[in-house]
Amino acid sequence: MEHEESTEGRSPRLMHDELPKEHEDPLIRRLHLVIRFAIKVLAVLMVLVIIWGVLDVVYVLYSRFMAPPVMLFEVSDIFLIFGAFMVVLIAVEIFINIRLYLGTNILPIRLVIATALMAIARKVIILDTEVVTAEEMLAIAAVVLALGVTHWLVGK
């Protein structure tokens, strides 16, 4: 891994060459191709997960909308709906990470951190404060703070 400055005035980028298409050893070259194919399979599976997640959001919305009292949401219903939406958005971010990994030689560090922030934000949104201990709350706060600072530092 090497550090390369961007020429467009943007932040520095981390370059990677973990799975080059060319390699002097034919076995390693073939193994890289197999791994790249496996990553493409993961991308296809992630698209299926996204579609499944969208269908789940539709189901959750419909089931909560039709449950008595009809066309009214309780606060717990809204948190459940938000959670379902966030899971799909996190899956989309993971797909984008996979696509960038395959399509460029740039590690999407900032996007990975943003995805982690979205995942922890989902946890905070659906958090049941009746069940969570003080230690768990502090741990979640520490993760949010660490990811926020990391995202800010990587952006500088």
Side-chain angles (χ1 to χ4, degrees):
M1 213 179 314
E2 64 185 46
H3 190 67
E4 185 175 289
E5 290 292 326
S6 171
T7 58
E8 301 170 14
R10 292 183 295 190
S11 61
R13 296 175 178 217
L14 295 172
M15 303 297 284
H16 72 93
D17 195 23
E18 286 90 10
L19 299 170
K21 293 178 183 175
E22 302 85 24
H23 196 276
E24 63 272 358
D25 186 345
L27 174 64
I28 299 297
R29 186 173 49 247
R30 285 186 187 96
L31 293 175
H32 285 182
L33 290 173
V34 169
I35 292 171
R36 291 180 77 79
F37 177 76
I39 294 170
K40 289 177 183 180
V41 170
L42 287 175
V44 169
L45 292 174
M46 186 54 66
V47 169
L48 293 175
V49 167
I50 291 166
I51 292 168
W52 191 291
V54 169
L55 293 174
D56 182 60
V57 169
V58 170
Y59 173 75
V60 168
L61 277 170
Y62 177 78
S63 64
R64 296 300 178 215
F65 206 59
M66 292 300 153
V70 177
M71 297 189 184
L72 290 176
F73 292 136
E74 294 181 15
V75 173
S76 62
D77 295 334
I78 294 172
F79 285 132
L80 186 68
I81 293 166
F82 283 169
F85 270 92
M86 293 292 286
V87 166
V88 174
L89 292 175
I90 292 166
V92 169
E93 294 293 330
I94 292 170
F95 172 79
I96 292 169
N97 282 318
I98 293 169
R99 191 192 59 75
L100 284 175
Y101 187 81
L102 280 174
T104 66
N105 63 341
I106 297 168
L107 282 173
I109 300 293
R110 195 165 188 192
L111 182 60
V112 171
I113 295 166
T115 303
L117 270 168
M118 185 177 284
I120 197 70
R122 178 191 177 273
K123 177 72 176 171
V124 170
I125 288 170
I126 65 168
L127 193 65
D128 185 359
T129 56
E130 303 284 325
V131 179
V132 178
T133 66
E135 291 84 14
E136 291 171 324
M137 290 285 273
L138 287 172
I140 291 170
V143 169
V144 169
L145 181 63
L147 285 171
V149 168
T150 303
H151 190 269
W152 177 72
L153 287 173
V154 168
K156 286 204 146 264

